[in-house]
Amino acid sequence: MNGDSKQLSATGSNFKDLLIDDFPGVCERLEQSHRLCDRLRIMLEERANVERSYAASLERLARKAKETVVTPDAARPGSETALSAFEGYIGSVMHRAEQSRQLAGDLAGEVVPSLGGTLKQHGQVYQRIRVDGMKLAASLQEQYRLHDETVLRYDDAAQRADHLMRDLAADTTHDPSSRLRLAVTAAEAARLTSGCEEDYRKAVLKVNTERQRFLAHMDIIMDALQDMEVKRGRCFKDALRKTLVYDAAWIRNVEYDLNQAIPGAEAVDPEGDTGQFARDRYARRAEAIKGGVGRATLLEKVEVLPWLRLQQSLHPSKERPDPPGESNRSAGEKSREATVSQYDEFIES
């Protein structure tokens, strides 16, 4: 299809076939898509900042929970299931912080630069194309304006000359001077009409020449604008798809961490932990001698003990030595000692 027979067609899908005479409308479309991509870029930049802030907040929260709750005093036997579940949840929070930081890095390092680079490159090229296209459109519109003005002047002159010729033909006064004046006026109008006709022919030639130039250049411009629009749309699509892939990966990782933490939460045994604490606490207190002489617990029953057993209770690690001169004691002393021993056994029984 050459420039002389260029016609708009509703069967195609190209800018140059459908919108070659609507350059401002095409420019508006490209500017809208540019703003849309730029809004996505700004949103993803802010999203990356939000994810970084979220990760930092989660890390601070997890560290604070570890420092203030899981202390050596708290991590005692008897609360193993609860502490294990709590530590598992803290671990899932830390992993979520890592995933959020990774998501922020992916968005800021992969998606945003691609969008920003495309927008910058297209913006510079579009401005140059827009200037050239507006000049072409303005030049063609100016030729059409001059053509229309010439057509109106030619029409006015031709109508006036036609009326004068009709008046001259219809003159029945037979007045030579009157007919002469009318004939001179009609001849002058005819010459003016002839000049306007020549101007009209020149205007038609100029407007057609400008139209051919417009079509030749605008074909190239429309192809460039459509290619730019398609590429920017693909960039928008790729950026959004990558973002959704990263979001899906973040969700899967969070779900995996939650699946790891859920069994720990389900395994918390309040009754078992409480009972184990009581048993362990009692055992530790029984090992430590507290409350008084020879008592391991505060509520232990107190009994009268023979002196020998009292010594064993007070000094369990010491062996009672034989008194000096044991071999030289008299038989009477040994007999009295045996009597005391029997007496102690009687009292004990």
Side-chain angles (χ1 to χ4, degrees):
M1 183 179 294
N2 55 36
D4 293 335
S5 60
K6 182 75 173 181
Q7 298 293 331
L8 299 182
S9 172
T11 60
S13 59
N14 297 325
F15 285 177
K16 65 182 181 182
D17 294 333
L18 301 176
L19 303 173
I20 195 168
D21 62 335
D22 190 14
F23 182 74
V26 174
C27 290
E28 183 179 357
R29 161 70 183 190
L30 266 75
E31 290 168 3
Q32 288 177 351
S33 66
H34 183 93
R35 288 193 295 269
L36 179 64
C37 288
D38 194 48
R39 283 197 294 268
L40 177 62
R41 179 190 63 82
I42 294 173
M43 179 180 179
L44 294 180
E45 282 183 346
E46 295 179 355
R47 169 77 185 283
N49 294 332
V50 168
E51 293 295 337
R52 292 191 190 98
S53 177
Y54 179 58
S57 299
L58 288 179
E59 288 172 348
R60 286 195 301 269
L61 182 64
R63 286 195 298 267
K64 183 178 179 181
K66 270 191 172 182
E67 293 171 357
T68 59
V69 178
V70 185
T71 61
D73 291 337
R76 293 174 176 173
S79 58
E80 288 82 358
T81 60
L83 286 177
S84 177
F86 186 68
E87 290 175 353
Y89 180 69
I90 291 177
S92 70
V93 171
M94 291 296 293
H95 291 164
R96 187 176 304 183
E98 294 175 4
Q99 296 302 324
S100 295
R101 199 177 298 279
Q102 179 65 37
L103 176 60
D106 291 335
L107 294 178
E110 297 291 337
V111 183
V112 173
S114 176
L115 272 174
T118 300
L119 290 175
K120 182 178 180 180
Q121 180 184 8
H122 284 190
Q124 295 172 350
V125 175
Y126 169 74
Q127 291 301 326
R128 293 195 296 268
I129 292 178
R130 184 176 181 276
V131 171
D132 294 340
M134 294 301 291
K135 287 181 179 179
L136 281 173
S139 178
L140 181 60
Q141 289 175 357
E142 178 64 15
Q143 291 300 323
Y144 273 120
R145 186 187 67 80
L146 295 176
H147 168 270
D148 294 342
E149 290 180 354
T150 304
V151 168
L152 293 177
R153 286 198 305 270
Y154 173 54
D155 181 61
D156 290 341
Q159 286 188 22
R160 184 170 181 274
D162 183 67
H163 290 161
L164 289 173
M165 294 301 294
R166 289 176 182 274
D167 291 343
L168 181 62
D171 184 18
T172 58
T173 60
H174 302 291
D175 183 1
S177 60
S178 175
R179 288 181 61 81
L180 179 61
R181 288 194 300 272
L182 187 59
V184 171
T185 303
E188 184 65 25
R191 285 194 298 271
L192 180 61
T193 301
S194 178
C196 289
E197 182 180 7
E198 183 63 23
D199 292 340
Y200 168 64
R201 293 179 183 277
K202 291 179 180 179
V204 170
L205 179 62
K206 287 182 179 180
V207 76
N208 285 331
T209 302
E210 186 63 28
R211 178 177 176 274
Q212 290 178 2
R213 189 176 78 90
F214 174 86
L215 292 175
H217 288 81
M218 194 56 71
D219 270 0
I220 300 174
I221 289 176
M222 286 294 175
D223 284 340
L225 292 179
Q226 185 163 4
D227 181 68
M228 185 185 303
E229 178 68 6
V230 171
K231 287 182 178 178
R232 186 157 53 217
R234 290 173 181 170
C235 182
F236 178 88
K237 179 180 179 180
D238 291 342
L240 198 56
R241 289 180 63 186
K242 285 182 179 179
T243 301
L244 294 176
V245 168
Y246 293 141
D247 276 336
W250 183 87
I251 292 174
R252 284 196 299 268
N253 290 326
V254 170
E255 184 179 4
Y256 175 79
D257 292 335
L258 290 177
N259 290 335
Q260 296 294 316
I262 287 173
E266 294 293 337
V268 174
D269 183 10
E271 293 80 4
D273 285 354
T274 304
Q276 186 64 37
F277 166 76
R279 291 189 294 271
D280 294 341
R281 179 69 178 179
Y282 180 84
R284 285 198 303 272
R285 292 185 66 205
E287 293 175 359
I289 300 176
K290 296 180 180 180
V293 176
R295 293 197 301 276
T297 64
L298 183 63
L299 299 180
E300 184 176 344
K301 184 178 179 181
V302 179
E303 298 178 351
V304 177
L305 299 178
W307 178 72
L308 293 178
R309 291 189 58 186
L310 186 61
Q311 274 203 330
Q312 292 177 358
S313 175
L314 292 174
H315 310 287
S317 61
K318 294 182 179 180
E319 294 183 359
R320 183 169 177 268
D322 293 334
E326 178 70 22
S327 58
N328 298 328
R329 286 187 302 171
S330 62
E333 291 176 347
K334 292 183 179 180
S335 176
R336 285 195 301 272
E337 187 179 79
T339 303
V340 172
S341 178
Q342 292 176 0
Y343 178 73
D344 289 342
E345 291 177 0
F346 173 76
I347 293 176
E348 182 179 0
S349 63

